[in-house]
Amino acid sequence: MSPVRRCSRTACARPAVATLTYVYADSTAVLGPLATYAEPHCYDLCAEHSERLTAPRGWEVVRLAVDPAAARHTADDLEALADAVREAARTPPRQEAPRGADPMEVARRGHLRILRSPEP
């Protein structure tokens, strides 16, 4: 699965840069920056489709500022991730979870936690 979310419009394969949500009670469509997580009742749109968006007659469209550069991952993001992994690798191999900690937590390695699988 690709880490880049795609436009929700049919047959559009461009990367999403904005998220569209509706407030039916107020007859309002809200178009803003790409949401952190894909939500089932929201639509992710590419730059072209977000610019051409229209709403039904009688509806208001609220457009929040969308920064297309913010939607792209940079080399700094990758470097920060690599630094975090290196930092975790430098810690002692396995530390037992302290008493009184989360009962699902089995052990820690740096800032990472090992959790027990929930019982079905």
Side-chain angles (χ1 to χ4, degrees):
M1 178 177 217
S2 173
V4 177
R5 294 202 325 247
R6 300 286 174 199
C7 183
S8 297
R9 295 290 302 258
T10 304
C12 182
R14 290 185 290 268
V17 297
T19 297
L20 173 67
T21 58
Y22 294 99
V23 181
Y24 289 98
D26 297 332
S27 299
T28 303
V30 180
L31 183 67
L34 187 62
T36 306
Y37 302 101
E39 296 289 336
H41 301 292
C42 296
Y43 301 92
D44 295 335
L45 300 175
C46 65
E48 182 179 336
H49 286 121
S50 64
E51 289 169 9
R52 296 185 352 199
L53 174 75
T54 60
R57 185 174 296 146
W59 281 57
E60 180 182 0
V61 177
V62 176
R63 293 178 186 268
L64 304 175
V66 176
D67 181 10
R72 296 190 187 103
H73 294 289
T74 65
D76 291 341
D77 295 335
L78 185 57
E79 187 174 340
L81 179 60
D83 289 343
V85 170
R86 280 190 213 104
E87 179 184 333
R90 282 192 289 249
T91 61
R94 185 174 170 147
Q95 304 166 354
E96 291 302 317
R99 293 202 187 275
D102 182 355
M104 295 300 290
E105 187 175 322
V106 176
R108 288 179 175 250
R109 184 175 181 125
H111 64 283
L112 304 174
R113 299 183 310 158
I114 302 170
L115 301 177
R116 181 178 293 116
S117 293
E119 300 296 324

